[in-house]
């Protein structure tokens, strides 16, 4: 029977963007809300602020992710164009270069040359793109996918503290918001780690500690300015 394996590398592009977006949406919105709650802002002001944070943050995440990943995609395309030109100009030199790569990975000289010959006969550009440039189909930059994943996940993450603010009494709001957000972020960190095949506990602890620091900072700052808006 044919041996089958399942790896998570093909999920790295959208998973990274989605986890970053949800984490940022949850912690930034919750931190903002507990900060203005500590400043004794009115319930209506808090809801308006939270909704504005959701919309602006989603657009900001989408824009930043698209620009970042598009730059990576442009770099990859430029490298592939250069490699195409080099293959057309001096195929022998490219063959020697590919064989040298395989020798560095442990093949003897004769076998490395034969592997390079067969791979280049099958798909010369694909072989050089993969083994010389390190560009793989599973991890290739996809700007639109990353932007959409970031925007949607940010909105989902920000919706949780916003919903808690809408339905929690003012006297309990800060405590409930902090506790629920930390619990949600811990679950998110563990889920992301598990999806990527990494240990869940260290990821959960890491995101919880940094998030607690962020919310503690905004509460301290808000407490200094009791504006009551």
């Amino acid at each position: 029977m044919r041996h089958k394996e399942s790896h998570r590398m093909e999920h790295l592009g959208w998973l990274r963007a989605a986890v970053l977006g949800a984490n940022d949406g949850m912690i930034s919105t919750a931190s903002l809300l507990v900060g203005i709650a500590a400043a004794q802002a009115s319930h209506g002001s808090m809801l308006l602020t939270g909704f504005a944070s959701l919309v602006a943050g989603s657009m900001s995440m989408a824009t930043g992710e698209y620009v970042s990943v598009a730059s990576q995609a442009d770099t990859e395309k430029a490298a592939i164009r250069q490699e195409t030109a080099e293959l057309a100009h001096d195929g022998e030199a490219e063959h020697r270069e590919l064989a040298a790569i395989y020798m560095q990975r442990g093949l003897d000289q004769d076998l490395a040359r034969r592997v390079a010959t067969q791979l280049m006969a099958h798909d010369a550009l694909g072989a050089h793109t993969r083994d010389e440039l390190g560009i793989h189909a599973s991890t290739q930059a996809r700007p639109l996918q990353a932007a959409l994943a970031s925007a949607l996940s940010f909105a989902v993450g920000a919706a949780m503290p916003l919903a808690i603010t809408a339905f929690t009494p003012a006297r309990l709001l800060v405590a409930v918001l902090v506790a629920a957000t930390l619990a949600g972020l811990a679950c998110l960190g563990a889920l992301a780690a598990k999806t990527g095949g990494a240990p869940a506990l260290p990821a959960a602890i890491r995101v919880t500690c940094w998030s607690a620091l962020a919310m503690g900072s905004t509460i301290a700052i808000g407490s200094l300015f009791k504006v009551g808006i």
Side-chain angles (χ1 to χ4, degrees):
M1 295 180 65
R2 184 177 178 180
H3 177 60
K4 294 183 179 180
E5 292 184 350
S6 177
H7 298 284
R8 277 63 177 255
M9 292 299 294
E10 65 271 17
H11 303 312
L12 283 182
W14 68 263
L15 179 62
R16 181 188 65 84
V19 170
L20 176 62
N23 182 82
D24 194 26
M26 198 178 296
I27 185 58
S28 63
T29 304
S31 296
L32 180 61
L33 288 171
V34 295
I36 63 173
Q40 297 183 350
S42 67
H43 191 256
S45 295
M46 291 183 64
L47 290 176
L48 179 60
T49 300
F51 183 73
S53 173
L54 186 154
V55 175
S58 295
M59 297 304 297
S60 176
M61 286 292 293
T63 301
E65 194 70 22
Y66 182 84
V67 170
S68 174
V69 180
S71 297
Q72 178 186 341
D74 289 342
T75 301
E76 291 176 352
K77 290 175 182 177
I80 292 172
R81 285 196 299 269
Q82 180 181 348
E83 197 63 33
T84 301
E86 290 174 352
L87 283 167
H89 180 260
D90 193 350
E92 284 298 320
E94 291 300 304
H95 179 274
R96 291 193 297 271
E97 186 176 29
L98 194 61
I101 292 172
Y102 297 143
M103 290 173 62
Q104 290 175 355
R105 294 179 182 177
L107 300 185
D108 60 56
Q109 186 177 49
D110 181 61
L111 181 56
R113 287 175 177 174
R114 287 190 285 121
V115 170
T117 299
Q118 291 188 23
L119 289 179
M120 289 185 67
H122 173 69
D123 181 6
L125 181 60
H128 282 269
T129 298
R130 180 181 62 253
D131 295 324
E132 181 183 346
L133 303 179
I135 300 174
H136 301 264
S138 61
T139 57
Q140 199 165 3
R142 295 177 176 85
L144 283 176
Q145 182 190 68
L148 287 174
S150 291
L152 291 174
S153 58
F154 185 99
V156 171
M160 191 203 79
L162 186 57
I164 292 172
T165 301
F167 296 107
T168 304
R171 67 183 185 279
L172 302 174
L173 181 57
V174 172
V176 172
L177 196 52
V178 169
T181 300
L182 291 178
L185 286 166
C187 292
L188 179 63
L191 177 62
K194 188 174 181 180
T195 302
L201 184 59
I205 294 174
R206 183 168 56 241
V207 70
T208 301
C209 290
W210 283 105
S211 300
L213 178 62
M215 285 189 285
S217 299
T218 57
I219 290 172
I221 293 171
S223 298
L224 297 176
F225 304 96
K226 298 187 181 298
V227 295
I229 55 174

